[in-house]
Amino acid sequence: MPSPVGYPFGSAFTDHMVMANWREGSGWGAPKLLPHAAIPVSPAMVGLHYGQVIFEGLKAFRRADGRLAVFRPEDHARRFRVSARRMMMPEIPETVFLDALDELVRQDRDFVPAESSASLYLRPLMFASEPDLAVRPAREYQFLLIAFVTDGLFGSEPRPLKVWVNEDHPRAAVGGTGNVKCAGNYAGALRAQSLARENGCDQVVWLDPAELRWVEELGATNLFFVRKTGQSHELVTPPLSGSLLPGVTRDSLTVLARDMGMNVLEDRVSVDEWQDDCRSGRIAEVFASGTAAGVRAVGQVRSAGASWQIGDGSVGPVTAALSEALQGIQYGRRPDSHRWLHLVD
Ligand SMILES: Cc1ncc(COP(=O)(O)O)c(C=O)c1O
């Protein structure tokens, strides 16, 4: 989606990348900082054929003092290791992952503009590079770290999303790979995403793979429901069932909401409940959360048989307050009381 100020998601790449190779018997070689350029691959490379490919997505923000800060890099390093284990790939040591981030951010820092909505999106990637088509875990892997400047997945304008409840093509399987960041999850999701667009929606709502009844996540984001309880609000997010991704932003928002005095709980919400509770006013707001998207209000929901609005369809006060709390920390306008930022000098 083109962005109003000119950084569409995923194309304004910086000039450099970091590369490291792993080989059975010798382990990880020293990472190298290189120009961002095409890489030679064998047509028999395992990653291309059998999908041993994992990635991460995290961001560095420019603060008012000009310094860049990476948001929760240790948590992304940890999730990268969890993804590697699930896909039978070698784990990259945390120090190698963090040093690669530091090196690339330091080198390409001048790409990040001072506009408050822009940030540097960092994309660590690992794939099986061995040219051998036996079906087994590969014996050679390549780690790459590239970066691009972005305004966010949906641009910098906070228009509430219209979402499509997808009852046809679950994103994940019971016991599958829905809780890790492997490339195949995203290829398998494209068909449902295209159906969402055909139905006039921005994003697809993923339901649980067993019953197609419980709401799990949204596109490449987690979901939150703001429920009215008397005079106050509580924040509800689907539990980590094994088929949805444990988002770093999801975790951060639960902490920030508790800091704001809200009750936060993990609870299953069915599609029927979502509709009924919006109609009765019990659900006042819904928003999506993710590194790429930030905090994004959901205004309208559509499914094959129904369509409903959330609140008055605009950005609600809880969504706005949590978005500001998170961005305030990321851009250095608020104290980093949970020590989530890693400053790059
Ligand atoms: C499927 C999916 N769910 C949720 C998220 C949000 O995770 P995070 O907040 O760590 O970016 C992402 C993004 O990585 C995702 O791809």
Side-chain angles (χ1 to χ4, degrees), residues 7-10 12 59 117-121 148-153 155 292 331:
Y7 302 109
F9 185 82
K59 277 184 174 172
S117 67
S119 55
L120 186 67
Y121 182 94
F148 57 83
V149 179
T150 178
D151 298 315
L153 196 53
Y331 286 99

Side-chain angles (χ1 to χ4, degrees), residues 55-57 76 79 121 171 178 181 186 206 217-222 244-251 289-292:
F55 66 95
E56 261 305 320
H76 289 276
R79 194 168 65 189
Y121 182 94
R171 168 185 174 273
K181 273 185 90 73
Y186 297 82
W206 302 112
E217 49 185 343
L218 177 76
T221 59
N222 294 113
L244 62 98
L245 194 78
V248 175
T249 321
R250 172 187 182 276
D251 182 71
S289 79
T291 297

Side-chain angles (χ1 to χ4, degrees), residues 63-140:
R63 302 149 59 87
D65 63 7
R67 295 168 85 191
L68 290 191
V70 186
F71 190 67
R72 301 190 69 170
E74 297 86 359
D75 297 278
H76 289 276
R78 193 170 308 120
R79 194 168 65 189
F80 198 59
R81 292 199 301 277
V82 171
S83 298
R85 276 202 293 279
R86 178 65 180 84
M87 303 305 285
M88 299 296 289
M89 298 167 80
E91 292 177 37
I92 191 157
E94 181 170 290
T95 50
V96 176
F97 187 97
L98 299 180
D99 288 353
L101 292 173
D102 271 5
E103 200 164 6
L104 188 64
V105 173
R106 203 175 293 124
Q107 179 70 34
D108 285 345
R109 59 190 311 149
D110 292 342
F111 280 79
V112 188
E115 288 118 65
S116 69
S117 67
S119 55
L120 186 67
Y121 182 94
L122 297 151
R123 170 53 64 83
L125 166 80
M126 195 205 305
F127 57 91
S129 51
E130 184 186 5
D132 181 323
L133 294 184
V135 184
R136 52 160 171 68
R139 295 165 300 193
E140 291 170 27

Side-chain angles (χ1 to χ4, degrees), residues 155-178:
S156 56
E157 285 305 313
R159 179 181 62 81
L161 299 172
K162 226 187 236 182
V163 301
W164 172 252
V165 180
N166 146 62
E167 288 152 322
D168 302 308
H169 305 290
R171 168 185 174 273
V174 177
T177 56

